[in-house]
Amino acid sequence: MMEEVKEVTPCLSVHGHNIKVTEVLKDRDTLTFLIVSQKLSGTGEYHVDRTYDDFEWLQQQLFFQEDMPGIEGVIFPPLPAKPQVNASAKVIKQLGFLGLGEWQPYCKALEAFLRQVTAHSILSKNKAVEIFLTSSDPPGRQRARKNIFNRLSQAVEEMRKEGHKDVDEFFQTERDHNLVLTGCTKTAAERFLDVVLTEQKIAVASGYFSAALHLCVEPGENPDTQAFSKACVKLSEVFDSMKKNMARVAENNVSTLGLGLDLESRYQEAEKEMLFRRTCKLVELETAKRNAEKAKPVKKAAIALFHSVRVEMLQQALVQWCEKQLCTAKESADQFGQHLQAFRGMAW
Amino acid sequence: MAASSDRNPPPFPATEDPGAGRADMADGDSDEGEDIFVSNSNNPVAVSRGVSQPDHVNEMPPDLFSEEEANNTTARSNGVHSDDDNDLFAEAHVELSTDKPGSARKELSTSSGTHPASSITQSPAAMQPTSLEQLEDEEAKDSFDVDVAVTNPEKVGDGMNAYVTYKVSTRTSLPMFKSKAFSARRRYSDFLGLYEKLSVKQSLHGCIIPPPPEKSVVGMTKVKVGMDDPSSVEFVERRRAALERYLQRIVSHPLLLQDPDVREFLEREDLPRAVSTQTLSGAGFLKMINKASDAVNKMTIKMNESDTWFEDKFQEVESEEQQLRKLHALVDSLVNHRKELCGNTAIFAKSMAMLGNSEDNTALSRALSQLAEVEDKMEQLHQEQAASDFFIFEELLADYIRLLGAMRGCFDQRMRAWQRWQEAQSTLQKKRESEAKLLWANKPDKLQQAKEEITEWEARVTQYERDFDRIGVTVRKEVLRFEKEKAKDFKSQIIKYLEAMQQSQQRLIKFWEAFLPEAKAIA
């Protein structure tokens, strides 16, 4: 990829690595995201608000960038599925981790998307990216092209069903491997989501128990009754801590490994798309071997890059996850120790 | 006085090998020596060992006992691994001291842990059985101990006639028992039979007789079919623990301990089969109490409560029962969620393992496999936490809901005693009126009979009045004792729980610390 593309001065005027999606505003049915990026020259920031449609526009601008060489080999950073306010249970399930909470995981996913786009050597040069990040007016919202893209995927799907093998063993292996990995990752993400949802249920149940205990205070002068009441209040505090701890554990899960698995899964879908496109081209241009040949070295390197990026991303997610959970566990252990001490020291 | 933790009961005289009595079904659950409760609870509850020093609760009176009061540091299993005989009394432990009204509650625990322990206290000479009068004295001088444990559930027979027997082991230094340590096998209906016998005794009226765990047709049917699946294992374990707590509460009650039926239950080799236990099915026990309450409410002569203490207490009991029921339901829901988390974690671990296997990148693959293992360990942890929630809190609450029901029963007994007294008085009145009539009608032969009847009924009135007063006193004492025990019980269970939680957090920290370098080593 590097050999073929001429060195072009980057046309992006902002830093890509620290783009932030800071807020999401809900206005009836629309979600508007606030994006903040740092200017390359000097100090200063761009604050723009964009809706999901704007993101889709950007993605399409990138997909249909025909003039750039090597574009076919690009694995496009995946955009999350469209968010819906007051979504049905089915839609929420499809969103997975991104549908949790007050859209913070979703914002993080959009952030990751933008950072990946701006970090991509080819994609970042697309003018649409600059417009998207800096223009105060929202870019145009066109939907027309989406259908073409879908039809393309459909056609490729059909061909896959016929078991059209790739001429190159490397790509065929990659395709098979990708299929397996995609399945595994998706399953893992779904199972992890189940874990997180149960953790949230436990947090809620602990909260109820804590509240009920607080109501157990009995009146009376009897020292034993008072002792019992005190015990209940203390226990109520314990379960309140447990609720907070569990909620934090769940949140850690979502913000690190959850997002990581989600992104990984979408990335693999993106790779699948790319490989489909290649297959598609192979079928269509079977005679034009030269094109396919020319495409090969580009894509192999792209795939190698893709994997290294993917692995690094997963590693980051795992490390962060572990660190956060470790921190939470330590805090929780301390708290239990404190509760225990307080309990033992209580005058009865 | 009771030895505290860390002691090893000597082998029972007629004991089987440790482990020989182990039920096969105990293997149905997890594992390898790792206790389900890894709690090192210190039992701070050590009521003074007698000798009139009620303020110095943790002091060891030098003269009476040879054993030091170590803290209870046993890791306790909840008995799924039915225990070696040696460990029976490491946890199950009842201290009775009478420096406070009523006796000390058992140290809470389900059955034994696996700790080696020192020898048992043997100081029979220094101890005397407390008499009832001494019990009523706030500063009683004596203390005594009985340890009771219920272990080794075994299935007897086949098919629908099968049943489970449990080993009831007693260790005591009381001279009223034939030996220092002994055991017998009992089945569930025996426990029910004991309860029935105690409930109908006039002498025990007003006492809170601890209720046994309820019958469960569903649970038992599963067990009859086979004892291997996890739900049967859990059911049997739950029942075993409940039966143990039941017996421990009985022997810690000074009056009940004196009862010959209790002694027979503990000592006798073969117990005649209890028959009339139909009434105590499922919610039958509470139904029985409620029926009695209704009968009292329908009394024609309403009691004029001169002492508002009873009325107030009764209200308190009722409202407390409601609160505990609510708490019980909430803990139940929490336990279910934890179990669900177990299942989800296990499934997630498997999916991670698969992902790890499919991964090309070796470092990543290894890290993912490690992750799968970490999650497996967490599942075990969640399992333990669920068990902890359950056995510590849910069963505790269930016990107290039943005990409060029993307490309501005591109040009813008092009412009925009052009613009997009132009815006797009105009968006496009628007899006197008829005597007057006879006097006037001048029928000397019938007059004699009337006079005799009057004397008889006068005696009855006196007797019933005394009974009523006595029950009143008993109920008051029982209520105070109950409140004391309840506070202690809850406190000790809460501490146990906190220790267990702290332990599991520590283990969690270790898991994460072990995983972190693996995660960092990927790229």
Side-chain angles (χ1 to χ4, degrees), chain A residues 199-237:
Chain A
E199 285 170 343
Q200 288 177 336
K201 278 192 229 172
I202 291 180
V204 169
S206 301
Y208 286 156
F209 189 50
S210 165
L213 278 169
H214 212 79
L215 297 175
C216 273
V217 180
E218 289 167 8
E221 300 296 319
N222 182 346
D224 293 315
T225 327
Q226 286 184 337
F228 178 72
S229 300
K230 265 196 270 184
C232 283
V233 169
K234 219 58 197 93
L235 190 62
S236 164
E237 285 170 19

Tab-separated table of all heavy atoms in Angstrom, chain A residues 199-237:
chain	number	residue	atom	x	y	z
A	199	GLU	N	-25.284	-8.835	36.120
A	199	GLU	CA	-24.610	-8.049	37.163
A	199	GLU	C	-25.447	-6.838	37.533
A	199	GLU	O	-25.583	-6.488	38.711
A	199	GLU	CB	-23.226	-7.598	36.681
A	199	GLU	CG	-22.212	-8.729	36.691
A	199	GLU	CD	-20.913	-8.379	35.992
A	199	GLU	OE1	-20.908	-7.389	35.227
A	199	GLU	OE2	-19.939	-9.108	36.200
A	200	GLN	N	-26.043	-6.221	36.517
A	200	GLN	CA	-26.887	-5.059	36.799
A	200	GLN	C	-28.100	-5.467	37.631
A	200	GLN	O	-28.529	-4.744	38.522
A	200	GLN	CB	-27.330	-4.400	35.497
A	200	GLN	CG	-26.187	-3.667	34.811
A	200	GLN	CD	-26.585	-3.054	33.485
A	200	GLN	OE1	-27.541	-3.494	32.847
A	200	GLN	NE2	-25.853	-2.055	33.058
A	201	LYS	N	-28.633	-6.647	37.330
A	201	LYS	CA	-29.791	-7.111	38.107
A	201	LYS	C	-29.407	-7.315	39.561
A	201	LYS	O	-30.177	-6.997	40.480
A	201	LYS	CB	-30.295	-8.457	37.550
A	201	LYS	CG	-31.186	-8.327	36.347
A	201	LYS	CD	-31.860	-9.671	36.056
A	201	LYS	CE	-31.704	-10.026	34.597
A	201	LYS	NZ	-32.158	-11.379	34.301
A	202	ILE	N	-28.220	-7.871	39.764
A	202	ILE	CA	-27.771	-8.088	41.136
A	202	ILE	C	-27.627	-6.758	41.862
A	202	ILE	O	-28.008	-6.625	43.032
A	202	ILE	CB	-26.439	-8.869	41.165
A	202	ILE	CG1	-26.671	-10.295	40.690
A	202	ILE	CG2	-25.845	-8.880	42.562
A	202	ILE	CD1	-25.439	-11.153	40.684
A	203	ALA	N	-27.086	-5.769	41.146
A	203	ALA	CA	-26.927	-4.449	41.763
A	203	ALA	C	-28.286	-3.922	42.206
A	203	ALA	O	-28.459	-3.438	43.332
A	203	ALA	CB	-26.260	-3.487	40.787
A	204	VAL	N	-29.265	-4.040	41.345
A	204	VAL	CA	-30.602	-3.538	41.672
A	204	VAL	C	-31.179	-4.297	42.860
A	204	VAL	O	-31.715	-3.690	43.793
A	204	VAL	CB	-31.526	-3.660	40.443
A	204	VAL	CG1	-32.968	-3.409	40.840
A	204	VAL	CG2	-31.112	-2.667	39.371
A	205	ALA	N	-31.049	-5.623	42.832
A	205	ALA	CA	-31.598	-6.430	43.933
A	205	ALA	C	-30.934	-6.075	45.256
A	205	ALA	O	-31.593	-6.012	46.296
A	205	ALA	CB	-31.438	-7.913	43.626
A	206	SER	N	-29.619	-5.859	45.210
A	206	SER	CA	-28.918	-5.469	46.433
A	206	SER	C	-29.462	-4.149	46.942
A	206	SER	O	-29.615	-3.948	48.151
A	206	SER	CB	-27.420	-5.328	46.186
A	206	SER	OG	-26.871	-6.530	45.723
A	207	GLY	N	-29.752	-3.248	46.004
A	207	GLY	CA	-30.296	-1.955	46.391
A	207	GLY	C	-31.635	-2.091	47.091
A	207	GLY	O	-31.899	-1.452	48.104
A	208	TYR	N	-32.492	-2.953	46.564
A	208	TYR	CA	-33.799	-3.171	47.186
A	208	TYR	C	-33.635	-3.719	48.588
A	208	TYR	O	-34.309	-3.290	49.528
A	208	TYR	CB	-34.625	-4.167	46.383
A	208	TYR	CG	-35.180	-3.629	45.093
A	208	TYR	CD1	-35.507	-4.490	44.052
A	208	TYR	CD2	-35.405	-2.277	44.901
A	208	TYR	CE1	-36.015	-4.010	42.866
A	208	TYR	CE2	-35.908	-1.793	43.706
A	208	TYR	CZ	-36.213	-2.664	42.696
A	208	TYR	OH	-36.713	-2.199	41.518
A	209	PHE	N	-32.752	-4.692	48.712
A	209	PHE	CA	-32.534	-5.320	50.015
A	209	PHE	C	-32.036	-4.284	51.004
A	209	PHE	O	-32.484	-4.212	52.148
A	209	PHE	CB	-31.537	-6.473	49.868
A	209	PHE	CG	-31.410	-7.324	51.096
A	209	PHE	CD1	-32.524	-7.838	51.730
A	209	PHE	CD2	-30.167	-7.633	51.614
A	209	PHE	CE1	-32.413	-8.635	52.859
A	209	PHE	CE2	-30.042	-8.433	52.735
A	209	PHE	CZ	-31.156	-8.931	53.363
A	210	SER	N	-31.104	-3.457	50.548
A	210	SER	CA	-30.560	-2.416	51.411
A	210	SER	C	-31.673	-1.479	51.881
A	210	SER	O	-31.766	-1.136	53.066
A	210	SER	CB	-29.493	-1.637	50.639
A	210	SER	OG	-29.183	-0.440	51.293
A	211	ALA	N	-32.534	-1.079	50.957
A	211	ALA	CA	-33.621	-0.162	51.315
A	211	ALA	C	-34.558	-0.806	52.328
A	211	ALA	O	-34.972	-0.181	53.303
A	211	ALA	CB	-34.393	0.249	50.058
A	212	ALA	N	-34.880	-2.080	52.089
A	212	ALA	CA	-35.810	-2.765	52.994
A	212	ALA	C	-35.216	-2.901	54.386
A	212	ALA	O	-35.921	-2.775	55.394
A	212	ALA	CB	-36.172	-4.136	52.428
A	213	LEU	N	-33.911	-3.162	54.445
A	213	LEU	CA	-33.267	-3.304	55.751
A	213	LEU	C	-33.358	-2.014	56.538
A	213	LEU	O	-33.504	-2.010	57.756
A	213	LEU	CB	-31.796	-3.680	55.564
A	213	LEU	CG	-31.523	-5.154	55.318
A	213	LEU	CD1	-30.093	-5.349	54.898
A	213	LEU	CD2	-31.806	-5.959	56.568
A	214	HIS	N	-33.262	-0.930	55.806
A	214	HIS	CA	-33.281	0.355	56.476
A	214	HIS	C	-34.603	0.591	57.184
A	214	HIS	O	-34.690	1.345	58.143
A	214	HIS	CB	-33.036	1.453	55.442
A	214	HIS	CG	-32.298	2.618	56.000
A	214	HIS	ND1	-30.932	2.613	56.192
A	214	HIS	CD2	-32.746	3.797	56.453
A	214	HIS	CE1	-30.575	3.761	56.726
A	214	HIS	NE2	-31.641	4.503	56.898
A	215	LEU	N	-35.651	-0.062	56.666
A	215	LEU	CA	-36.969	0.108	57.264
A	215	LEU	C	-37.186	-0.788	58.471
A	215	LEU	O	-38.244	-0.761	59.071
A	215	LEU	CB	-38.051	-0.198	56.222
A	215	LEU	CG	-38.068	0.726	55.016
A	215	LEU	CD1	-39.096	0.234	54.014
A	215	LEU	CD2	-38.403	2.136	55.437
A	216	CYS	N	-36.167	-1.602	58.780
A	216	CYS	CA	-36.353	-2.568	59.853
A	216	CYS	C	-36.061	-2.000	61.221
A	216	CYS	O	-35.964	-2.729	62.189
A	216	CYS	CB	-35.451	-3.783	59.627
A	216	CYS	SG	-36.239	-4.985	58.593
A	217	VAL	N	-35.878	-0.728	61.281
A	217	VAL	CA	-35.544	-0.137	62.574
A	217	VAL	C	-36.736	-0.230	63.499
A	217	VAL	O	-37.831	0.204	63.165
A	217	VAL	CB	-35.124	1.332	62.383
A	217	VAL	CG1	-34.787	1.940	63.719
A	217	VAL	CG2	-33.943	1.404	61.446
A	218	GLU	N	-36.513	-0.833	64.643
A	218	GLU	CA	-37.627	-1.005	65.581
A	218	GLU	C	-37.527	-0.009	66.713
A	218	GLU	O	-36.445	0.318	67.176
A	218	GLU	CB	-37.599	-2.414	66.158
A	218	GLU	CG	-37.970	-3.474	65.168
A	218	GLU	CD	-37.620	-4.857	65.696
A	218	GLU	OE1	-37.239	-4.941	66.869
A	218	GLU	OE2	-37.701	-5.814	64.928
A	219	PRO	N	-38.665	0.416	67.162
A	219	PRO	CA	-38.630	1.331	68.308
A	219	PRO	C	-38.385	0.530	69.578
A	219	PRO	O	-38.506	-0.683	69.582
A	219	PRO	CB	-40.043	1.913	68.323
A	219	PRO	CG	-40.889	0.840	67.734
A	219	PRO	CD	-40.034	0.088	66.756
A	220	GLY	N	-38.074	1.159	70.624
A	220	GLY	CA	-37.984	0.418	71.885
A	220	GLY	C	-36.723	0.725	72.660
A	220	GLY	O	-35.687	1.054	72.104
A	221	GLU	N	-36.894	0.567	73.956
A	221	GLU	CA	-35.791	0.857	74.861
A	221	GLU	C	-34.923	-0.362	75.072
A	221	GLU	O	-33.785	-0.253	75.477
A	221	GLU	CB	-36.357	1.324	76.217
A	221	GLU	CG	-37.198	2.577	76.109
A	221	GLU	CD	-36.383	3.766	75.658
A	221	GLU	OE1	-35.250	3.909	76.133
A	221	GLU	OE2	-36.861	4.497	74.793
A	222	ASN	N	-35.499	-1.490	74.797
A	222	ASN	CA	-34.806	-2.747	75.037
A	222	ASN	C	-33.458	-2.765	74.308
A	222	ASN	O	-33.415	-2.592	73.097
A	222	ASN	CB	-35.715	-3.878	74.512
A	222	ASN	CG	-35.128	-5.232	74.753
A	222	ASN	OD1	-33.956	-5.372	75.079
A	222	ASN	ND2	-35.955	-6.245	74.594
A	223	PRO	N	-32.383	-2.965	75.034
A	223	PRO	CA	-31.066	-2.928	74.380
A	223	PRO	C	-30.915	-3.959	73.274
A	223	PRO	O	-30.213	-3.727	72.294
A	223	PRO	CB	-30.077	-3.188	75.524
A	223	PRO	CG	-30.895	-3.736	76.632
A	223	PRO	CD	-32.269	-3.198	76.472
A	224	ASP	N	-31.575	-5.098	73.430
A	224	ASP	CA	-31.465	-6.110	72.381
A	224	ASP	C	-32.175	-5.674	71.121
A	224	ASP	O	-31.686	-5.895	70.011
A	224	ASP	CB	-32.047	-7.445	72.871
A	224	ASP	CG	-31.206	-8.024	73.978
A	224	ASP	OD1	-29.974	-8.027	73.840
A	224	ASP	OD2	-31.791	-8.449	74.995
A	225	THR	N	-33.340	-5.051	71.290
A	225	THR	CA	-34.044	-4.559	70.112
A	225	THR	C	-33.232	-3.484	69.420
A	225	THR	O	-33.127	-3.445	68.196
A	225	THR	CB	-35.414	-3.964	70.503
A	225	THR	OG1	-35.915	-4.697	71.600
A	225	THR	CG2	-36.376	-4.037	69.354
A	226	GLN	N	-32.639	-2.632	70.222
A	226	GLN	CA	-31.814	-1.586	69.633
A	226	GLN	C	-30.621	-2.170	68.912
A	226	GLN	O	-30.238	-1.706	67.842
A	226	GLN	CB	-31.335	-0.628	70.726
A	226	GLN	CG	-32.428	0.280	71.216
A	226	GLN	CD	-31.913	1.285	72.228
A	226	GLN	OE1	-30.884	1.063	72.863
A	226	GLN	NE2	-32.610	2.378	72.374
A	227	ALA	N	-30.049	-3.202	69.519
A	227	ALA	CA	-28.905	-3.851	68.885
A	227	ALA	C	-29.309	-4.415	67.528
A	227	ALA	O	-28.581	-4.279	66.538
A	227	ALA	CB	-28.377	-4.960	69.790
A	228	PHE	N	-30.467	-5.045	67.496
A	228	PHE	CA	-30.942	-5.612	66.246
A	228	PHE	C	-31.149	-4.519	65.208
A	228	PHE	O	-30.752	-4.666	64.050
A	228	PHE	CB	-32.241	-6.374	66.494
A	228	PHE	CG	-32.827	-6.965	65.256
A	228	PHE	CD1	-32.240	-8.053	64.643
A	228	PHE	CD2	-33.967	-6.429	64.689
A	228	PHE	CE1	-32.775	-8.608	63.497
A	228	PHE	CE2	-34.509	-6.975	63.537
A	228	PHE	CZ	-33.913	-8.060	62.940
A	229	SER	N	-31.750	-3.429	65.618
A	229	SER	CA	-31.985	-2.331	64.682
A	229	SER	C	-30.665	-1.797	64.140
A	229	SER	O	-30.520	-1.549	62.941
A	229	SER	CB	-32.738	-1.193	65.365
A	229	SER	OG	-33.984	-1.633	65.835
A	230	LYS	N	-29.718	-1.637	65.024
A	230	LYS	CA	-28.409	-1.138	64.583
A	230	LYS	C	-27.794	-2.083	63.573
A	230	LYS	O	-27.189	-1.650	62.587
A	230	LYS	CB	-27.467	-0.982	65.786
A	230	LYS	CG	-27.460	0.428	66.357
A	230	LYS	CD	-26.269	0.662	67.259
A	230	LYS	CE	-26.604	0.298	68.693
A	230	LYS	NZ	-25.486	0.608	69.625
A	231	ALA	N	-27.917	-3.379	63.852
A	231	ALA	CA	-27.367	-4.365	62.927
A	231	ALA	C	-28.012	-4.219	61.561
A	231	ALA	O	-27.340	-4.288	60.534
A	231	ALA	CB	-27.575	-5.775	63.477
A	232	CYS	N	-29.326	-4.023	61.559
A	232	CYS	CA	-30.017	-3.887	60.274
A	232	CYS	C	-29.538	-2.667	59.513
A	232	CYS	O	-29.312	-2.728	58.301
A	232	CYS	CB	-31.526	-3.779	60.496
A	232	CYS	SG	-32.279	-5.360	60.873
A	233	VAL	N	-29.364	-1.567	60.214
A	233	VAL	CA	-28.916	-0.352	59.526
A	233	VAL	C	-27.523	-0.558	58.941
A	233	VAL	O	-27.238	-0.202	57.798
A	233	VAL	CB	-28.914	0.847	60.505
A	233	VAL	CG1	-28.215	2.027	59.891
A	233	VAL	CG2	-30.332	1.224	60.874
A	234	LYS	N	-26.666	-1.173	59.726
A	234	LYS	CA	-25.301	-1.422	59.263
A	234	LYS	C	-25.306	-2.342	58.049
A	234	LYS	O	-24.589	-2.127	57.076
A	234	LYS	CB	-24.533	-2.062	60.415
A	234	LYS	CG	-23.111	-1.649	60.621
A	234	LYS	CD	-22.826	-0.199	60.853
A	234	LYS	CE	-21.395	0.208	60.662
A	234	LYS	NZ	-21.150	0.676	59.305
A	235	LEU	N	-26.118	-3.387	58.141
A	235	LEU	CA	-26.195	-4.329	57.025
A	235	LEU	C	-26.730	-3.632	55.786
A	235	LEU	O	-26.305	-3.919	54.659
A	235	LEU	CB	-27.090	-5.520	57.400
A	235	LEU	CG	-27.060	-6.675	56.411
A	235	LEU	CD1	-25.661	-7.261	56.318
A	235	LEU	CD2	-28.034	-7.752	56.838
A	236	SER	N	-27.648	-2.706	56.011
A	236	SER	CA	-28.176	-1.935	54.898
A	236	SER	C	-27.051	-1.181	54.195
A	236	SER	O	-26.978	-1.140	52.960
A	236	SER	CB	-29.254	-0.977	55.414
A	236	SER	OG	-29.536	0.015	54.480
A	237	GLU	N	-26.152	-0.618	54.990
A	237	GLU	CA	-25.003	0.075	54.391
A	237	GLU	C	-24.147	-0.893	53.594
A	237	GLU	O	-23.647	-0.557	52.516
A	237	GLU	CB	-24.151	0.710	55.493
A	237	GLU	CG	-24.768	1.950	56.096
A	237	GLU	CD	-24.027	2.401	57.345
A	237	GLU	OE1	-22.868	1.997	57.531
A	237	GLU	OE2	-24.637	3.138	58.138
